[in-house]
């Protein structure tokens, strides 16, 4: 037997035993309280499920009410899980709960390990070797990320590597897009940006427009785009190594109307909140003050969105992302595994009350969540799509007609920046138009954790021989 087939067989055995371990640990986590507590254990599990639902409903009331009712709901949200812990402690089963949690954690880890070893990894973004830039220009925002540019000496590092640095003056409302265009006309062959995602998106639009590479320096607060490029967000200066030893990636760029975005465009609740002048100074207070009206439908705008064949009616929150977010994070909001799929990710949320909120917590795939992908998403301020008598004018694009009850503009948040755009807002993707120069040596994007599929785990556990492994070793391994 060849070395390739030996490794192939070992992978299959590890996969099968991991699936069996996951099923055994999960079954033990469920049966242990029943075996120890009997009927009382069953009642305690039912109480735990009920407390979870009550806690979710209490969180909803906390977000949608004010005054004493909000305070009482917040207290209930805290008291519900504590009451369950107290019940288990009174029954002498607190240690059992700890053991069950450990078993369930083992089941999740083993199950994901088994499924990850069978899944097909998505293709990596292709790297292109190109010579270093000769006339790079790097725009730096001194205020981003609490002053990372000055604190980490990024200007000196960039200049030492041969770049011309332009410091942005946010007090004077610096037009970074115009400055980037001017730099290109003066001969810049690379545009770099050290700042937040919003600033990066503006420079990215100019870089894509003129076909020059973009250099991303994660000097903002969250740096989601840099994270999905596989850069080290804890070491912004390391991104500047691309000026001397880098490779290029071809990635997609999103557009909301004519405005470019590298991460996402938000509509609804979040978009309305970021419009508030008080949001920058008091994010939590502004959010809590506005949410009751927004979630109850007494404030904000009613929206209708068309994403391919999917119609979203009156979503309270809508997120359109440049490539879909991974599904192994809560609600898929975390990382994007790829930036070159040529599609937009779409996430719509609609929660109509405490019962729906509880159902959403217990079942993330509930009807209140819409997750899909599309090449184009059209969002309107209004409650319905055009009727037969209100279609688009001759020569207009499909979906451009008037809408009953529609407003003329929509509040949006583009990469965290508050804007107001004319309705409808057409979000689209421009596949592969953005050249991004990154260091040849960088952390990369961690592999996604596959969602647990218990039916598939059962099949893997029952498999024999090499049938559990997806795919076959290449021809070289057979020889």
């Amino acid at each position: 037997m060849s070395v390739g087939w030996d490794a192939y067989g070992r992978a299959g055995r590890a996969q099968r035993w991991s699936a069996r371990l996951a099923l055994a640990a999960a079954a033990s986590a469920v049966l242990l309280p029943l075996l120890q507590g009997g009927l009382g254990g069953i009642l305690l599990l039912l109480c735990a499920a009920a407390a979870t639902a009550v806690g979710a409903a209490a969180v909803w009331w906390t977000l949608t009410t004010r005054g004493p009712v909000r305070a009482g709901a917040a207290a209930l949200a805290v008291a519900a899980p504590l009451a369950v812990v107290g019940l288990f402690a009174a029954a002498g089963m607190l240690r059992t709960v700890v053991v069950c949690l450990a078993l369930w954690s083992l089941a999740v880890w083993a199950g994901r390990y088994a499924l990850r070893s069978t899944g097909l990894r998505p293709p990596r973004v292709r790297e292109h070797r190109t010579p270093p830039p000769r006339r790079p220009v790097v725009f730096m925002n001194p205020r981003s990320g609490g002053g990372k540019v000055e604190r980490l000496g990024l200007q000196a590092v960039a200049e030492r590597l041969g770049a011309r640095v332009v410091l942005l003056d946010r007090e004077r409302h610096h037009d970074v897009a115009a400055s980037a265009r001017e730099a290109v006309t003066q001969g810049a062959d690379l545009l770099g940006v050290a700042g937040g995602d919003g600033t990066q998106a503006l420079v990215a639009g100019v870089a894509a427009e003129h076909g020059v590479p973009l250099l991303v320096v994660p000097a903002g607060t969250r740096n989601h785009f840099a994270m999905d490029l596989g850069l080290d967000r804890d070491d912004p200066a390391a991104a500047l190594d691309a000026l001397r030893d880098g490779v290029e990636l071809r990635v997609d760029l999103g557009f909301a109307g004519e405005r470019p975005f590298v991460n996402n465009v938000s509509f609804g609740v979040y978009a309305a909140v970021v419009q508030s002048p008080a949001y920058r100074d008091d994010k939590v207070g502004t959010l809590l003050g506005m949410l009751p009206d927004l979630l109850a439908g007494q404030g904000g705008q009613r929206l209708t969105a068309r994403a391919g064949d999917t119609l979203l009616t009156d979503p309270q929150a809508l997120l359109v992302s440049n490539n879909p977010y991974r599904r192994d994070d809560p609600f898929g909001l975390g990382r994007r595994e790829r930036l070159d799929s040529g599609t937009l990710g779409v996430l719509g949320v609609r929660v109509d009350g405490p019962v729906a909120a509880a159902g959403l917590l217990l079942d993330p795939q509930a009807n209140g969540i819409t997750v899909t992908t599309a090449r184009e998403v059209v969002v309107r301020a209004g409650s319905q799509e055009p009727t037969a008598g209100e279609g688009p004018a001759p020569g207009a694009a499909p979906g451009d007609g008037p809408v009953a009850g529609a407003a003329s503009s929509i509040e949006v948040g583009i990469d965290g920046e508050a804007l107001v755009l004319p309705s409808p807002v057409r979000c689209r993707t421009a596949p592969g138009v953005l050249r991004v120069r990154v260091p040849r040596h960088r952390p990369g994007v961690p592999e996604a954790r596959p969602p647990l599929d218990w039916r598939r785990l059962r099949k893997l556990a029952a498999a024999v021989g090499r049938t559990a492994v997806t795919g076959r070793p290449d021809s070289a391994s057979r020889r």
Side-chain angles (χ1 to χ4, degrees):
M1 181 179 290
S2 67
V3 174
W5 280 107
D6 285 341
Y8 186 62
R10 288 195 297 271
R13 288 192 295 271
Q15 181 183 320
R16 293 193 300 275
W17 283 108
S18 295
R20 292 164 185 168
L21 176 61
L23 294 175
S28 299
V30 173
L31 293 175
L32 186 59
L34 301 181
L35 294 175
Q36 181 173 345
L39 179 61
I42 297 176
L43 294 176
L44 286 175
L45 289 178
L46 292 176
C47 288
T52 301
V54 170
V59 170
W60 172 262
W61 288 320
T62 302
L63 296 177
T64 56
T65 59
R66 294 186 174 91
V69 177
R70 168 175 281 179
L76 180 60
V78 175
L82 292 179
V84 173
V85 173
L87 287 174
F88 276 95
M93 295 181 61
L94 195 56
R95 182 178 300 177
T96 302
V97 172
V98 175
V99 173
C100 288
L101 291 175
L103 287 170
W104 186 255
S105 298
L106 176 61
V108 171
W109 176 84
R112 282 179 167 161
Y113 177 84
L115 295 175
R116 182 173 64 243
S117 63
T118 64
L120 297 177
R121 291 181 175 87
R124 292 174 58 88
V125 178
R126 187 175 179 181
E127 297 180 353
H128 302 272
R129 284 294 189 93
T130 57
R134 293 179 294 177
R135 302 187 63 182
V137 176
V138 181
F139 297 88
M140 295 189 173
N141 185 350
R143 298 178 59 187
S144 290
K148 287 183 180 179
V149 169
E150 181 178 353
R151 187 170 68 252
L152 301 177
L154 298 181
Q155 179 179 359
V157 175
E159 291 175 341
R160 187 168 62 249
L161 293 171
R164 179 168 70 89
V165 175
V166 178
L167 293 178
L168 304 178
D169 186 353
R170 294 295 296 271
E171 298 297 335
R172 295 192 299 110
H173 303 288
H174 198 124
D175 190 340
V176 63
S179 297
R181 290 190 179 92
E182 181 181 358
V184 174
T185 60
Q186 293 176 354
D189 60 352
L190 176 141
L191 296 176
V193 55
D197 293 319
T199 305
Q200 291 170 5
L202 293 174
V203 179
V206 177
E209 176 186 345
H210 293 276
V212 300
L214 174 74
L215 173 68
V216 174
V217 182
T221 302
R222 287 174 290 274
N223 303 296
H224 287 153
F225 187 48
M227 174 178 65
D228 295 332
L229 288 170
L231 300 178
D232 187 351
R233 294 186 297 171
D234 297 325
D235 186 8
L240 293 168
D241 288 342
L243 292 172
R244 60 183 176 186
D245 184 19
V247 293
E248 282 190 13
L249 312 176
R250 285 276 186 172
V251 303
D252 308 334
L253 185 62
F255 287 88
E258 298 303 318
R259 175 86 177 207
F261 64 93
V262 294
N263 290 328
N264 56 60
V265 184
S266 58
F267 303 84
V269 171
Y270 176 74
V273 170
V274 297
Q275 301 289 328
S276 172
Y279 177 74
R280 297 300 174 189
D281 297 326
D282 185 11
K283 290 181 172 61
V284 175
T286 304
L287 184 66
L288 292 176
M290 297 180 65
L291 274 180
D293 290 337
L294 293 172
L295 294 179
Q298 301 172 0
Q301 296 176 302
R302 301 187 67 181
L303 301 173
T304 302
R306 169 69 69 176
D309 296 330
T310 303
L311 177 65
L312 293 87
T313 304
D314 290 339
Q316 291 156 320
L318 176 66
L319 190 78
V320 180
S321 59
N322 177 29
N323 285 266
Y325 283 102
R326 284 173 19 174
R327 303 294 296 274
D328 57 320
D329 293 298
F331 300 116
L333 297 180
R335 292 179 179 268
R336 290 163 292 179
E337 196 162 66
R338 297 183 59 183
L339 292 172
D340 63 342
S341 69
T343 59
L344 299 171
V346 182
L347 171 68
V349 179
R350 178 178 175 84
V351 184
D352 293 322
V355 175
L360 188 61
L361 181 62
L362 296 172
D363 179 14
Q365 305 298 324
N367 293 333
I369 295 286
T370 300
V371 181
T372 186
T373 60
R375 292 291 298 270
E376 182 179 83
V377 180
V378 180
V379 184
R380 301 177 179 279
S383 57
Q384 54 183 288
E385 289 199 299
T387 62
E390 298 174 324
D400 280 343
V403 178
S408 59
S409 61
I410 301 180
E411 297 173 336
V412 300
I414 300 182
D415 286 336
E417 301 291 331
L419 295 171
V420 177
L421 299 181
S423 177
V425 176
R426 186 179 300 278
C427 300
R428 59 184 176 87
T429 180
V433 300
L434 184 60
R435 299 165 55 192
V436 182
R437 188 170 180 86
V438 296
R440 190 160 56 91
H441 302 290
R442 60 193 186 281
V445 180
E447 184 181 344
R449 296 174 299 171
L452 284 179
D453 185 338
W454 295 105
R455 179 179 299 177
R456 190 175 173 198
L457 283 174
R458 288 197 299 271
K459 291 181 179 179
L460 290 176
V464 295
R466 299 186 181 96
T467 58
V469 179
T470 301
R472 293 290 184 268
D474 58 30
S475 57
S477 67
R478 300 186 188 187
R479 292 196 289 268

